[in-house]
Structure formats: C-alpha cells, structure tokens
C-alpha cells in the first residue's frame, strides 16, 4: 500500500495546480493519473483564460458576465471567487514562463469571447491549454512531486457511516496499466478528484477518449451528491467528421458563420442581435441547429465558419493550429475556403458538489475542475472560464486539503436532506447499477476501521471485482454497451430536448445496464489491458448518462444549455434551484437546493438573457 498526505487523482490543469498548492503547504503529495500529465485533455483547450487585467475592466464586470452567462444558476460566492482570483493566478502562470501571446507593446494580449462585455480573454495562440499544461508540468518536475502515471483509479476508499456527511475518504484503489497490479493508496489528509470531463457519454464530442466521467461517477457511488448534471454544453464549432474543437477564438478574432445560402444568420436571432457570432455558446449552438433543421444547413448537417477575411498573417499569428486541424480532418484549407462546423458535446457544467475550497460533504474528499461543481457556470459556461476554474479552484483545493487534518475539516456544502426533495416519476424502473456501489465496506464494525484498514477493504473488494470480470468467458462486451448509450444520448439528450425522447433515453440506459450485468472482458492479459480499462470506464458512462437524463427530464423549463420543447421559458419562480442527485443504492434520489444570488456587495437579480 502506498501512502501520502494528499493524493490528487488526475493530472490535467486542476490536478497539477492542486498538487503544486499542496506541496507549497509542505504536504507529501502525489498524483495518480491514467494518463501522463502532458497527455491530459487540458492540452486540447484552445481559446484562453478570462481575467480582468486591464484598465477599464474589473473582476466585478467579469462576475456579472459570468452570472448572466450562467442564466442565473451560478452561485454568486463561487463566481466572485473565480473572478477575483483569476488575475493573480494568470499572472502567476506568466511568471512561471507561460508563453502568452503579446501585443506590440509587450503586454499579454486579450481578445473578445462570447458573452463577455470586455475583451478579457488571455491566450497563447490557439493552444492555450497546451501551454498551460506544459508550464505547470515544469513546476511539478521542479518540485519533485511524485506522479504515478498510467494508474487508473477505479474506487474511492470511504468509511461506511450511513449518512454521507459522516463518512471519511481515506484513499483510493488504482490499477497499474503497465503491470496489471491493483493497489491501494492511503491519503493521510485528503483525496482531490481532478479527473476532468465526461464527453464519452456522447458519440460526437470534443473530449478525448479518456474523458469518461470517472471522478464524478466514483464520488457519486461513494455517497457525494452530484449537482446540475443536466446542463451539458454543446460547443457551436466542432468539425463534423471527428468532433475536434475549432476554438471560439476564431469568432473572437472576427470569424463569421454562414448558412448554405451564404447568409450571415446569427444577427437574425433576436436573442443575439447585438453580438451575433459572439453570443453565448448555447445561443450560437441553437441558432446553428435551427438553420440546419429548417433546411438552410450544408448537406443537412453543418454550417460554414469563415475566417479568410482576417488575412493570412493574422490567422497564422493567432490561429495557426486551426489551419492544420481543418486541413488534416476535413481536407479544407481555411485560408482559401470556409470550414464546416456543427455543435458537439464539449463541457459539463455539473459535477461533484463542492464549496469554494473544493470540499465535498465527505470528509477528506475534494474535487476541482470540470469534475467538480462549485457552481461557477450554472446553466451555461462562458468560453474562457474553464481554464481559470482549473487554476483558481485547483489551488484552493490543494491548499485546503494539505492545510487541514481531515478530522477537523469543516464542511460547508449542503448535506443530503437539508433542502427540498423531490420524488420524480421516471418512465422506467432504472434497474440495478452495474456492479454495485463503491461507497463503503460491509457495515457493522467497519465504521471503527482505521484509515489503512478502510483502504485495504476497498482494495480487496476491487481485486475481487476485477478478477470476476477477467474470469468470465462469455457475455456482452463493453463496446456494444457503450455504443448504445452514446448513440441514445446524442439522439435524445442533445441541444434540443423533448419529454418523449428523454424517456426513451432512460429506457435505453436501462437496457444497457441489464447488458452490463453480463459484461465480460475478452482480453485476459494483465498488462496494458485496455479492454479491461474500457469495461470499467463504461460503468462510469452508464451512471453519468443516467444522471444527466434524470435531471433533464425533471427540469421543466428552458434555462442556459437546457432547452425543452415543452417549456420555452425560464421559470425562476419554480426552477431557480440546483438539481441534486444522490446514489441511493443505485436508484437516483433527486432533490434540490437554492441558488445563491447574493454576492459580497451585490445581489445578481435574474434578467432576460440576450446578446
């Protein structure tokens, strides 16, 4: 068994920043990641980092834009924390050597992004995430922080008290991809989940194949509530053939969207008639799909994004990698012709419920980055707000996990039962949850186990589970199950949502769950067994898909990225609240907690959201 003060699960932007912060507090910290750090999906982020750095801008304006962009489902204290801390964290990156793009006067460049009232998005060409990832990895190496790379974390080791808020996370269980070993990791102070996104729930996504919602699913099964899972962002500009992202920076620099008639359509939509292509992402995605659905799309699938008028010099200087992406994946040279683009799954606004320090309701368990929901994005994330979330809340989680003994931690997030609960009628019996919950050991005297004993028990259980999978000689392979879920989610739980389609998605998920009861691993090898790893990931995809769909079916309104055919207005009097889900032995329990609109010096009153 390995042992450290703080264990960070995941090595993207949030994980690296958390590890550096914990190390700064003097903790013995280690990262456990199924990918080498510089292969993390943060490297695919293209656009930039929102930070109020210049005269004429302020963190207060950034906070207002973010609350408006969230469709007033963001929590003001978390939003204000993000916007206040982002400038100093961005400057810290510059001091660490991040290669930001610069103006002629030497200042870090900033450009317009959708939904912003000021051009506050700092960037490094069109590969900001790549530069950020390598900059922080250098700091990791400089500090000598231990990294267990190509270790896939499969379970949290959590004590078994009945109430989640009485539980303690003592560590993790992970599978060493290179050797086939399954080992326990004990965390003396805390575990920080920084596992990133969940895009593989869909079959058209900008996310990497590794983004299977692992952290959210593990925390959910361990008893931590998950929040606002129905809010999924679909980025308006992805390449049709692959889902590869075309940065919002193209539109920020002046790129224009056209339909098949060569018409610039964005200003024709009343809710975007001021900013056009630079309206918020949910607004642009809906406009594009409306063009396609009404017969004005190209090949009935996509629209065109044109940046030729910007000139080759400007494009090469600021957007060079976009040229290569378009040429490599679509065979289109964007210096000579417009690029084909369509909406694709991009980001999850929801995740594991946390406070501004990354704490969950389980003592010793933290989360940061896309897998967490401190609720800074609410119903819709603004472009340029994801990367500051990684560095701001990654740092806060790292400092907090290292600086407090878990037994003395004060949990400030809401507890199950504190708020309104809802018995939502789902159209089907959801069935058993895959291989069962991860929450606890067997009960009884288990609550008196030491931290090491809790980790050992979780390790024994996981070894038995994996051995069972490897011993089976027949059944259903994970690929068939995963494909069913992905196709159903893309068809039924996409940008436009209807009640009957959401119910069908739940039926499809139930059938996939039943198939998963008989899942087996064809590859019996013990080293680099990707068949086994993807089988375990598919379980997470099932749990996440169900959570998204249950929340979407229950929320009877149109807010942010959640569009409902039957409900075409935002309903603040009924739905100005967060959707919460608890595991409940595999039968999702739906409940709610209020949105916090009161900031430090002002209250953000909901208004009509237009651009």
């Amino acid at each position: 068994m390995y042992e450290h003060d703080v264990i960070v699960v995941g090595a993207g932007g949030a994980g690296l920043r958390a590890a550096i912060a914990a190390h700064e507090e003097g903790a013995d910290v280690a990262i456990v990641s199924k990918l080498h750090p510089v292969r993390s999906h943060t490297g695919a982020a293209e656009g930039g980092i929102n930070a109020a750095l210049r005269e004429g801008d302020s963190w207060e304006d950034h906070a207002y834009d973010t609350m408006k962009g969230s469709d007033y489902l963001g929590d003001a204290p978390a939003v204000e924390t993000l916007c206040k801390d982002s400038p100093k964290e961005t400057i810290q990156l510059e001091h660490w050597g991040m290669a930001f793009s610069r103006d002629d006067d030497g200042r870090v460049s900033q450009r317009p992004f959708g939904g912003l009232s000021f051009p506050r998005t700092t960037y490094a060409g069109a590969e900001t995430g790549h530069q950020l990832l390598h900059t922080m990895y250098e700091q990791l190496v400089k500090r000598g922080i231990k990294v267990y790379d190509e270790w896939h974390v499969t379970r949290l080791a959590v004590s078994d008290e009945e109430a989640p808020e009485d539980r303690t996370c003592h560590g993790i269980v992970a599978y060493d991809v290179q050797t086939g070993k399954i080992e326990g990791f004990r965390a003396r102070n805390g575990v920080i989940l920084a596992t990133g996104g969940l895009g593989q729930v869909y079959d058209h996504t900008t996310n990497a194949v590794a983004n299977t919602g692992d952290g959210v699913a593990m925390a959910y099964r361990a008893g931590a509530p998950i929040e606002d899972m129905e809010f999924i962002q679909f980025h308006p500009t992805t390449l049709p053939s692959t889902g590869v992202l075309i940065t919002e920076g193209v539109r920020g620099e002046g790129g224009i969207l056209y339909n098949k008639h060569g018409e610039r359509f964005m200003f024709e939509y009343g809710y975007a008639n001021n900013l056009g292509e630079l309206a918020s992402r949910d607004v642009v995605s809906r406009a594009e799909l409306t063009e396609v659905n009404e017969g004005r799309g190209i090949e009935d699938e996509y629209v065109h994004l044109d940046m030729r008028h910007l000139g080759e010099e400007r494009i090469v200087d600021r957007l060079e990698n976009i040229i290569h992406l378009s040429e490599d994946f679509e065979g289109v040279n964007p210096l000579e012709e417009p690029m084909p683009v369509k909406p694709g799954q991009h980001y999850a606004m929801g995740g594991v419920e946390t406070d501004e320090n990354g704490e969950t309701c389980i003592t010793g368990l933290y989360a940061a980055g896309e897998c967490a929901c401190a609720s800074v994005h609410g119903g819709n994330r603004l472009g340029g707000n994801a990367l500051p979330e990684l560095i701001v809340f990654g740092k806060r989680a790292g400092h907090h996990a290292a600086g407090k003994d878990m037994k003395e931690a004060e949990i400030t997030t809401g507890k199950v039962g504190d708020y309104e609960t809802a018995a939502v009628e789902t159209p089907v019996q959801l069935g058993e949850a895959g291989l069962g919950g991860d929450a606890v050991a067997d009960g009884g005297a288990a609550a008196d186990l030491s931290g090491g004993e809790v980790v050992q028990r979780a390790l024994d259980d996981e070894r038995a589970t994996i051995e069972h999978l490897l011993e089976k000689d027949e059944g259903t392979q994970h690929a068939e199950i995963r494909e069913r879920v992905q196709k159903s989610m893309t068809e039924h739980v996409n940008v436009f949502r209807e009640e009957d389609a959401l119910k069908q998605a739940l039926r499809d998920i139930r059938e996939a769950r039943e198939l998963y009861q008989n899942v087996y691993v064809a590859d019996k090898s013990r080293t680099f067994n990707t068949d086994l790893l993807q089988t375990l990931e598919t379980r997470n995809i099932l749990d996440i898909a169900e959570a998204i769909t249950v929340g979407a079916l229950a929320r009877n309104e149109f807010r942010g990225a959640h569009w409902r055919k039957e409900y075409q207005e935002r309903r603040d009097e009924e739905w100005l609240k967060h959707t919460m889900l608890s595991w409940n032995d595999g039968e999702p329990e739906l409940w709610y907690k209020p949105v916090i609109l009161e900031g430090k010096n002002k209250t953000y009153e909901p208004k009509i959201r237009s651009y």
Side-chain angles (χ1 to χ4, degrees):
M1 184 182 299
Y2 301 95
E3 190 166 340
H4 299 275
D5 294 334
V6 175
I7 294 172
V8 180
V9 183
L16 291 175
R17 192 65 188 90
I20 293 167
H23 183 270
E24 291 172 343
E25 287 290 311
D28 169 20
V29 59
I31 290 178
V32 185
S33 173
K34 67 180 179 182
L35 299 174
H36 187 277
V38 297
R39 290 187 59 225
S40 298
H41 192 59
T42 299
E46 296 168 353
I49 302 171
N50 290 338
L53 297 173
R54 295 196 175 182
E55 185 178 352
D57 196 12
S58 67
W59 73 260
E60 290 91 346
D61 288 346
H62 185 188
Y64 176 80
D65 291 344
T66 300
M67 288 295 290
K68 177 183 175 182
S70 78
D71 222 348
Y72 301 96
L73 203 70
D75 283 336
V79 168
E80 290 186 347
T81 296
L82 173 76
C83 300
K84 282 191 288 188
D85 287 3
S86 182
K88 63 184 178 185
E89 285 301 307
T90 304
I91 291 169
Q92 177 66 78
L93 287 171
E94 198 273 342
H95 288 175
W96 281 340
M98 182 165 166
F100 285 105
S101 295
R102 295 184 180 274
D103 295 340
D104 291 340
D105 62 7
R107 293 190 301 173
V108 169
S109 297
Q110 293 188 285
R111 61 186 170 200
F113 249 44
L116 297 181
S117 58
F118 191 92
R120 68 172 64 93
T121 308
T122 65
Y123 59 95
E127 47 193 37
T128 311
H130 177 81
Q131 296 286 349
L132 181 149
L133 197 61
H134 280 260
T135 297
M136 287 204 292
Y137 182 61
E138 289 175 355
Q139 296 300 313
L140 194 81
V141 173
K142 175 181 177 180
R143 289 163 170 77
I145 295 172
K146 175 68 175 176
V147 179
Y148 300 86
D149 67 278
E150 294 194 328
W151 282 78
H152 177 50
V153 178
T154 61
R155 183 185 293 246
L156 299 175
V158 177
S159 60
D160 72 338
E161 285 78 8
E162 183 174 348
E165 61 268 28
D166 293 330
R167 294 175 186 162
T168 298
C169 181
H170 292 283
I172 61 172
V173 177
Y175 175 87
D176 183 0
V177 181
Q178 299 176 68
T179 67
K181 293 190 304 181
I182 305 164
E183 297 291 348
F185 291 75
R186 185 186 175 196
R188 290 184 288 264
N189 281 60
V191 171
I192 303 173
L193 295 174
T195 55
L198 48 79
Q200 289 302 313
V201 169
Y202 291 83
D203 66 7
H204 187 81
T205 176
T206 66
N207 286 195
V209 294
N211 288 49
T212 50
D214 303 341
V216 178
M218 286 190 293
Y220 179 40
R221 294 192 295 261
I226 54 178
E227 179 174 353
D228 290 339
M229 292 297 292
E230 66 267 36
F231 291 102
I232 299 295
Q233 181 167 91
F234 295 86
H235 197 289
T237 55
T238 75
L239 296 178
S241 64
T242 59
V244 166
L245 176 68
I246 298 299
T247 176
E248 191 164 315
V250 174
R251 287 173 288 132
E253 293 293 340
I256 297 172
L257 292 168
Y258 294 105
N259 62 24
K260 74 176 183 180
H261 302 302
E263 298 166 336
R264 186 179 185 181
F265 58 84
M266 277 307 306
F267 288 96
E268 300 302 315
Y269 291 85
Y271 42 74
N273 56 12
N274 291 316
L275 293 181
E277 285 85 1
L278 285 178
S280 193
R281 287 177 177 176
D282 61 316
V283 171
V284 181
S285 289
R286 284 194 295 272
E288 289 181 0
L289 282 183
T290 299
E291 293 293 305
V292 171
N293 292 343
E294 293 183 358
R296 296 184 294 276
I298 299 157
E299 297 184 6
D300 296 323
E301 183 183 7
Y302 56 84
V303 297
H304 272 150
L305 175 61
D306 195 355
M307 64 177 184
R308 293 172 294 176
H309 57 286
L310 302 178
E312 182 174 353
E313 181 178 354
R314 184 176 178 183
I315 293 170
V316 171
D317 179 49
R318 301 186 177 192
L319 300 164
E320 182 178 7
N321 74 317
I322 300 304
I323 301 172
H324 304 309
L325 292 175
S326 181
E327 288 180 331
D328 292 346
F329 292 107
E330 297 293 343
V332 171
N333 180 354
L335 296 173
E336 299 176 355
E337 54 185 321
M339 293 175 283
V341 294
K342 73 175 188 178
Q345 191 284 336
H346 181 58
Y347 190 87
M349 273 71 78
V352 183
E353 182 204 27
T354 73
D355 64 8
E356 298 97 276
N357 294 316
E359 287 190 284
T360 73
C361 75
I362 297 175
T363 303
L365 181 63
Y366 300 77
E370 190 174 350
C371 74
C373 185
S375 198
V376 292
H377 306 307
N380 172 68
R381 175 177 71 80
L382 293 183
N385 268 359
L387 293 183
E389 179 190 22
L390 303 183
I391 54 180
V392 167
F393 293 105
K395 176 181 178 179
R396 294 175 73 91
H399 274 304
H400 206 68
K404 278 192 176 183
D405 183 273
M406 67 171 68
K407 295 179 182 178
E408 299 174 357
E410 296 178 3
I411 309 301
T412 58
T413 49
K415 308 297 193 301
V416 175
D418 279 359
Y419 302 109
E420 172 191 357
T421 59
V424 175
E425 291 186 11
T426 51
V428 294
Q429 184 66 27
L430 296 176
E432 296 299 323
L435 298 173
D438 290 345
V440 295
D442 294 331
D448 298 324
L449 294 177
S450 68
E453 290 170 325
V454 171
V455 175
Q456 185 62 51
R457 182 168 292 199
L459 174 60
D460 293 342
D461 288 348
E462 194 67 3
R463 283 174 173 167
T465 296
I466 290 175
E467 285 301 318
H468 175 70
L469 284 172
L470 291 173
E471 288 170 359
K472 292 179 67 174
D473 291 326
E474 59 182 12
T476 306
Q477 289 189 279
H478 74 86
E480 177 184 343
I481 300 168
R482 184 181 294 207
E483 184 179 22
R484 283 183 178 225
V485 174
Q486 290 172 329
K487 286 187 174 181
S488 182
M489 293 295 289
T490 297
E491 180 177 356
H492 300 306
V493 198
N494 208 287
V495 174
F496 295 137
R497 298 171 176 182
E498 302 180 28
E499 182 174 343
D500 289 344
L502 294 171
K503 290 179 178 179
Q504 181 59 52
L506 281 178
R507 284 191 287 269
D508 294 341
I509 293 166
R510 179 194 179 187
E511 291 174 2
R513 281 203 182 283
E514 290 173 351
L515 288 174
Y516 197 81
Q517 299 301 312
N518 195 36
V519 73
Y520 90 110
V521 178
D523 183 355
K524 306 302 181 184
S525 66
R526 299 287 170 164
T527 60
F528 292 99
N529 190 337
T530 56
D531 191 17
L532 171 61
L533 296 182
Q534 290 166 3
T535 298
L536 297 171
E537 289 172 336
T538 297
R539 178 194 182 190
N540 297 332
I541 286 172
L542 280 165
D543 290 341
I544 295 299
E546 179 181 86
I548 293 168
T549 310
V550 167
L553 182 59
R555 185 171 285 272
N556 295 331
E557 68 161 353
F558 169 17
R559 185 184 298 271
H562 177 64
W563 182 97
R564 284 291 301 271
K565 180 179 180 180
E566 301 84 4
Y567 305 96
Q568 285 294 292
E569 294 182 354
R570 195 178 71 197
R571 302 167 65 190
D572 291 335
E573 70 285 352
E574 184 178 357
W575 286 103
L576 196 61
K577 57 190 178 184
H578 296 295
T579 304
M580 310 297 295
L581 277 170
S582 296
W583 176 248
N584 193 30
D585 294 326
E587 292 290 340
E589 178 184 352
L590 191 64
W591 50 287
Y592 298 94
K593 72 174 187 178
V595 176
I596 304 173
L597 297 177
E598 297 78 25
K600 185 174 182 181
N601 298 313
K602 68 175 294 184
T603 296
Y604 300 85
E605 296 291 346
K607 300 177 182 178
I608 295 173
R609 190 169 68 102
S610 62
Y611 294 94

